Amino acid sequence: MKLKSIFLALLLCAQGIVAAAQGLVTVRWSAEAVPAGDGLYELVLTGEPAEGWHTYGTASEYSAPSLTLEKLSGCAPEGGLYDITEPVLEDGEPVFHGPFKLGQKLRLTEDRGEAGGYVTWLACTGGACASPEDWEFNLTLGAALDSSHSSAIADPSEEESSSDGSLWALILEAILWGFAMLLTPCVFPMVPMTVSFFLKGSGSAAAGRFKAFMYGLFIVLLYTVPISIIILITRVVGGDAVTADIFNWLATHWLPNLIFFVVFMVFAASFFGAFEIVLPSSLVNKSDKNSEKGGLAGIFFMALTLVLVSFSCTGPIVGSVLIRSTAGEFWTPMVTMLAFSTAFALPFTLLALFPSLLGKLKGKSGSWLNSVKVVLGFIEVALGFKFLSVADQTYHWGLLDREVYLAIWIVVFSLLGLYLLGKIKFPHDDPEQKPLSVLRLGLVILVFSFVVYMIPGMWGAPLKALSGYLPPLETQDFVLGQGSASAAPAPSRTTAAGQKYDLKMPLSLDGYFTLEEGLAASKKLGRPVFVDITGHGCVNCREMEQRVWSDPRVLEILRNEYVLVALYTDDKTRLAEEDWVTMENGRVLKDLGRANSYLVRERFGVNAQPNYVLLDGDGRQLAPVRGYNLDVEDFIAFLRSGLEAYR
C-alpha cells in the first residue's frame, strides 16, 4: 500500500503540471462578505492550491497576490489586502501550501452595496511557476440579504470548459492515468492471469512476439473502437448520460460482477490443474493449419476479459473523458482514449512477451513454472471474491459480511502457505519432495505473516492496509468490545431520526442518504453539510474511511460539527414513485444509485468516487470539491475551511 501511495502522489504532482499546461487554474477560489458590525464587512477570499502547487502571501516581495476592485457600488475599501491565514516562511518568502484565506475590509456607504473584481496570483510547483492567473467574483453586501453573508464559489465545471487546453496536454494526462490503472485492485489481478495465459509459449520467438503485440492491440481497439462509436451515437442522439449509466452498470450490476467472479474461479481451477483452458478440438485442428487464426481468437477473448474486468476502476476515468465530448470536442476524446488505452495495454503487452522468453529456459523449468501457476491460482481465488462482494453490498444480499470475507481469505492464504511448505500437492506438481529453498521459505514467512495480520480483523480490527479490498466494517456482526450487532444498542439517531433508507454510515457515524434530508437537518441544527459521494464498490472510498476518516481529529469534526450525507451512486434500492427522477431527455431514474449519480453530475460536476462537498443549509457550496487524497492534515484543513466559510 505504501508503494501505491507513493506512486499516486507522484501521479498527482504530474497532473498538476499538466493542468498548468492546459491553462487550468492552479488555485481554486471562493469569496464571501462577512459582516463585522457597524457597517463594516470583511471580504474573505479562500484559496486551495492544486496538489503539488503553492502560492504566496501578501508580504511576498515579488509574488504577492493582488486584489482589483473594479465594480464598487454602495461601499468603499478600507486598507489593503492582507493574510488571514498565517503563511509559512521559506527562504524568507511567505508561502501557502494548503488552503488559506486572504482578507479585505469594505465599509457600506449606503444600505446595500455591491463589490466585484478579481484576485491575481502566482503559483509554483517544484522549480517551475505558472503564468499569473485571475479569478473574478461579484458579491452583494447589506441588510437586505436573506442570509447572514454573501458568497461566490468558483464553478469547477465552468473552469474546465473555459480552459480546454492543448491536445498534447490531454494526451499526456491520459497516458499517466493509463499507467496508474495498473495499480488499482480490479486491474492488478489480471496480471497473473495474463502471465499464466502466455506461459504455454508460442512455438517460436517470432510467433510469441506477434501474439504479444496482437494482445496489446486488441486491448487498445476494445477501448478505442466502442468508445468512438458511443461518442458518435451520443453526438448524434444527444444522450449525454447514457454512457455514464453503461459504465455504472458494468461496475456495480450483479450480472457482470458474478460473471467476473466465475471467470476468476474458472481460471483458478485451471491453475490448480483441474483442466486446461483450451479451444474446442475442431478449432484446435484448424489452428494446426492456420495457427494465427485460432491463436488470435483466444488472445482476443483474453483481452476482452481484461477490458471488462478493468471497467470497475477505469469506468470513472473513461466516463470523464467521454463527458468532454458534450462540450463541443469531437476528436479529442477519441485521441485521448487512444493514448489512455495504449499506456494501459503496454505493461500487459510486456507481460505477454515475458512468458514467451521463459520457454527458452532449459532444465527443470516445468516444475517451478507449475508452482507459479498454483500460487497464482490461490491469488485468483482470493481476489475473485472482490467482485462477489461488490454485488453483495450493492444489492444488500448479506452473503459476504466482513468476517465471512476475512475467513475465506485466511483459509485461502493458509492453504497457500501449506502449499509452499510442500504439505499440499496438485496434479502437475513434481512428486519428488525437495528441500525447502530459501526463496520458498521467504514466501512462507510472508504468507503466514499476512494470515496472522488478518486474524484480528475477525474481531473488528480495522486492517487499514486492506481497507480497499474488504467489505466495510459496518457489515461485521461482532466487534470486540461492542458485542454482536443484534445485542448491541441501536446506533444514535440524534441527527438522523427520519432516515429514509436503511443504509449505514462508516465508522459508526450518523447521517442521511438523501441530500434533501441533510439540508433540512442542517437548517434545524445549525451545522454545515458534509456530502460523501461514494459507492459500495468504491475501493478508494473504503481507503479514505479507514485511513483518513478514522483519525480521531477527523472523526470528532465529522461527528460534532457537520451533518453527514452519503450519496451512494451504485445502490440498487428501488425508489418510491414520488422520488423518481426524470432527466431532461424524459428518461426516468427509479433506483437510488442512478438518481444520486445524476444528481452529483448535474449539481457538483463530478462523475467519480470518492468526492466530498461541503454545503450550507441552502445548498450553497462552501469549498471546492475534494477527491481521493490520503493526507489527513489536508483533509482536516478542508473540513475546517468549510466550517469557517459557514460561520
Side-chain angles (χ1 to χ4, degrees):
M1 297 304 294
K2 192 173 293 185
L3 178 61
K4 178 183 174 183
S5 299
I6 294 172
F7 185 88
L8 286 175
L10 292 173
L11 176 64
L12 289 171
C13 181
Q15 278 189 292
I17 298 173
V18 172
Q22 288 179 272
L24 299 180
V25 293
T26 55
V27 177
R28 290 185 177 272
W29 292 91
S30 62
E32 60 180 341
V34 181
D38 195 26
L40 187 65
Y41 279 75
E42 183 178 39
L43 170 59
V44 179
L45 297 163
T46 302
E48 183 175 359
E51 291 290 338
W53 291 82
H54 63 268
T55 188
Y56 299 90
T58 57
S60 172
E61 185 176 359
Y62 302 107
S63 308
S66 63
L67 176 64
T68 302
L69 296 171
E70 55 185 7
K71 184 179 180 181
L72 287 175
S73 175
C75 62
E78 288 192 0
L81 189 66
Y82 56 89
D83 299 326
I84 297 177
T85 304
E86 186 71 24
V88 297
L89 290 179
E90 295 183 0
D91 297 327
E93 282 284 283
V95 176
F96 296 115
H97 288 280
F100 64 95
K101 293 181 182 294
L102 306 178
Q104 168 69 57
K105 293 291 174 51
L106 297 171
R107 183 171 295 278
L108 281 177
T109 57
E110 300 176 10
D111 290 339
R112 182 169 178 163
E114 188 173 358
Y118 58 91
V119 60
T120 304
W121 75 95
L122 179 71
C124 301
T125 180
C129 294
S131 300
E133 301 166 71
D134 299 325
W135 179 72
E136 296 183 2
F137 64 91
N138 195 73
L139 298 173
T140 304
L141 296 75
L145 296 178
D146 294 330
S147 60
S148 61
H149 58 270
S150 175
S151 63
I153 302 291
D155 184 349
S157 60
E158 186 174 284
E159 290 172 5
E160 184 176 349
S161 63
S162 64
S163 306
D164 295 332
S166 69
L167 177 61
W168 288 110
L170 289 172
I171 291 174
L172 176 59
E173 184 178 3
I175 290 173
L176 291 173
W177 276 118
F179 286 131
M181 288 300 101
L182 183 65
L183 296 177
T184 56
C186 48
V187 176
F188 191 76
M190 293 302 299
V191 172
M193 293 179 69
T194 298
V195 173
S196 177
F197 186 84
F198 285 92
L199 275 175
K200 299 175 183 178
S202 306
S204 68
R209 288 192 294 269
F210 174 74
K211 289 186 176 182
F213 169 78
M214 293 305 300
Y215 180 53
L217 180 61
F218 281 141
I219 295 173
V220 172
L221 293 177
L222 283 167
Y223 268 105
T224 308
V225 173
I227 293 304
S228 299
I229 293 174
I230 291 172
I231 291 174
L232 289 171
I233 292 174
T234 56
R235 177 84 172 191
V236 174
V237 178
D240 300 345
V242 173
T243 54
D245 287 340
I246 292 173
F247 299 134
N248 181 275
W249 183 86
L250 281 171
T252 64
H253 196 275
W254 66 269
L255 181 59
N257 275 285
L258 283 185
I259 291 174
F260 298 154
F261 170 72
V262 171
V263 166
F264 272 64
M265 296 303 109
V266 169
F267 267 88
S270 175
F271 295 167
F272 292 146
F275 50 83
E276 287 290 329
I277 299 178
V278 296
L279 295 171
S281 57
S282 59
L283 292 178
V284 173
N285 293 334
K286 291 181 181 179
S287 69
D288 289 336
K289 299 178 181 179
N290 190 351
S291 60
E292 291 185 1
K293 183 177 181 180
L296 288 179
I299 293 169
F300 171 80
F301 284 107
M302 182 64 189
L304 179 62
T305 301
L306 168 64
V307 171
L308 291 176
V309 169
S310 69
F311 260 122
S312 296
C313 290
T314 61
I317 304 302
V318 174
S320 298
V321 173
L322 286 175
I323 287 176
R324 293 184 71 96
S325 65
T326 65
E329 304 170 9
F330 185 67
W331 295 108
T332 299
M334 301 181 192
V335 174
T336 52
M337 186 51 56
L338 176 63
F340 169 85
S341 58
T342 301
F344 179 72
L346 182 59
F348 289 97
T349 304
L350 295 176
L351 288 170
L353 279 169
F354 181 68
S356 68
L357 299 178
L358 292 179
K360 298 179 180 179
L361 296 178
K362 306 296 182 182
K364 301 179 180 180
S365 59
S367 174
W368 71 265
L369 285 179
N370 184 72
S371 297
V372 170
K373 290 181 65 176
V374 172
V375 170
L376 296 178
F378 280 109
I379 296 175
E380 291 299 315
V381 170
L383 295 177
F385 275 92
K386 175 62 181 174
F387 297 101
L388 184 59
S389 175
V390 169
D392 179 65
Q393 293 173 55
T394 304
Y395 287 87
H396 310 291
W397 294 337
L399 300 176
L400 275 180
D401 289 347
R402 189 173 184 267
E403 67 272 22
V404 175
Y405 193 98
L406 271 172
I408 294 172
W409 271 39
I410 289 171
V411 170
V412 167
F413 284 98
S414 296
L415 292 174
L416 173 57
L418 292 174
Y419 172 77
L420 292 171
L421 280 172
K423 302 300 182 182
I424 300 176
K425 292 286 185 181
F426 286 89
H428 299 298
D429 284 326
D430 191 340
E432 298 180 7
Q433 184 70 32
K434 298 180 181 179
L436 193 65
S437 67
V438 174
L439 176 60
R440 279 208 175 207
L441 177 62
L443 291 175
V444 168
I445 294 173
L446 182 64
V447 168
F448 279 115
S449 297
F450 182 56
V451 170
V452 172
Y453 170 77
M454 288 190 290
I455 290 174
M458 297 292 291
W459 291 274
L463 305 182
K464 292 184 179 181
L466 295 176
S467 57
Y469 292 88
L470 301 178
L473 189 59
E474 295 70 49
T475 65
Q476 186 119 353
D477 291 330
F478 175 80
V479 176
L480 191 63
Q482 298 181 16
S484 66
S486 58
S492 168
R493 293 292 181 198
T494 54
T495 64
Q499 265 190 353
K500 205 167 188 178
Y501 300 101
D502 188 21
L503 298 170
K504 293 182 180 180
M505 296 291 296
L507 305 174
S508 299
L509 290 165
D510 197 14
Y512 298 90
F513 302 97
T514 67
L515 188 57
E516 293 78 10
E517 290 176 300
L519 293 176
S522 171
K523 292 181 178 179
K524 180 180 179 180
L525 299 172
R527 297 180 183 179
V529 180
F530 175 88
V531 181
D532 174 24
I533 301 171
T534 185
H536 295 293
C538 172
V539 172
N540 289 339
C541 301
R542 305 293 86 78
E543 277 197 291
M544 285 293 297
E545 292 160 5
Q546 293 299 323
R547 300 177 65 181
V548 178
W549 291 31
S550 62
D551 185 279
R553 296 168 296 171
V554 175
L555 269 177
E556 182 181 4
I557 297 174
L558 291 177
R559 182 175 286 117
N560 300 322
E561 303 290 341
Y562 279 95
V563 172
L564 306 187
V565 175
L567 298 181
Y568 282 89
T569 60
D570 58 4
D571 192 89
K572 304 304 180 183
T573 300
R574 184 80 171 183
L575 295 172
E577 186 171 353
E578 61 268 19
D579 295 327
W580 290 357
V581 176
T582 303
M583 300 168 58
E584 291 84 352
N585 60 7
R587 186 181 178 192
V588 180
L589 306 177
K590 301 180 180 180
D591 64 62
L592 181 61
R594 294 193 183 201
N596 283 337
S597 181
Y598 175 73
L599 168 68
V600 299
R601 285 199 311 269
E602 294 298 309
R603 185 155 185 165
F604 306 124
V606 297
N607 190 41
Q609 309 87 43
N611 270 293
Y612 308 105
V613 188
L614 306 180
L615 305 174
D616 65 12
D618 294 319
R620 290 176 297 199
Q621 197 170 321
L622 301 174
V625 176
R626 184 177 180 85
Y628 173 79
N629 187 325
L630 296 177
D631 191 315
V632 176
E633 298 299 331
D634 279 358
F635 196 79
I636 292 173
F638 166 69
L639 294 176
R640 287 177 176 165
S641 70
L643 292 173
E644 292 174 8
Y646 181 78
R647 290 164 185 160

